[in-house]
Amino acid sequence: DLLKVSAFTIYLQVDLNLIKSRLQASQHPLLLSRTPEEFEAMVQMRLPIYAQADYTLQTQGTPEELLKTLLDLRKKSSWF
């Protein structure tokens, strides 16, 4: 609730397999300490919270494309 009244939030939606590969590559304890089923359940549990963001951005493109999208959004919004 605090974020809703004091900030503009953006959910960067990333494919679950990409999240897993990034975490595995970094040896992140968030993935290493859970079974694949536990990790997927944790992600599913968090999705309703993420869905409350003011804007959801698909992140399939390159970092440059993502940045362009964010800058375009900034131009169209009064939140920056």
Side-chain angles (χ1 to χ4, degrees):
D1 290 332
L2 180 60
L3 284 176
K4 279 289 187 196
V5 297
S6 63
F8 184 88
T9 55
I10 301 172
Y11 167 35
L12 299 176
Q13 191 172 30
V14 181
D15 177 72
L16 183 60
N17 290 326
L18 181 57
I19 294 171
K20 287 180 184 180
S21 68
R22 287 178 179 173
L23 291 174
Q24 284 173 337
S26 69
Q27 297 293 301
H28 196 286
L30 184 65
L31 185 61
L32 296 175
S33 64
R34 290 172 172 78
T35 66
E37 295 79 17
E38 290 171 330
F39 180 76
E40 289 181 27
M42 181 193 66
V43 170
Q44 290 300 317
M45 185 177 64
R46 292 179 177 185
L47 286 177
I49 298 166
Y50 299 153
Q52 295 177 29
D54 296 304
Y55 188 78
T56 298
L57 184 60
Q58 301 290 325
T59 59
Q60 285 105 342
T62 65
E64 292 80 10
E65 292 168 334
L66 179 59
L67 178 59
K68 182 183 180 322
T69 301
L70 286 170
L71 291 174
D72 289 345
L73 178 63
R74 178 180 179 225
K75 290 177 187 175
K76 297 174 186 173
S77 301
S78 60
W79 55 268
F80 266 94

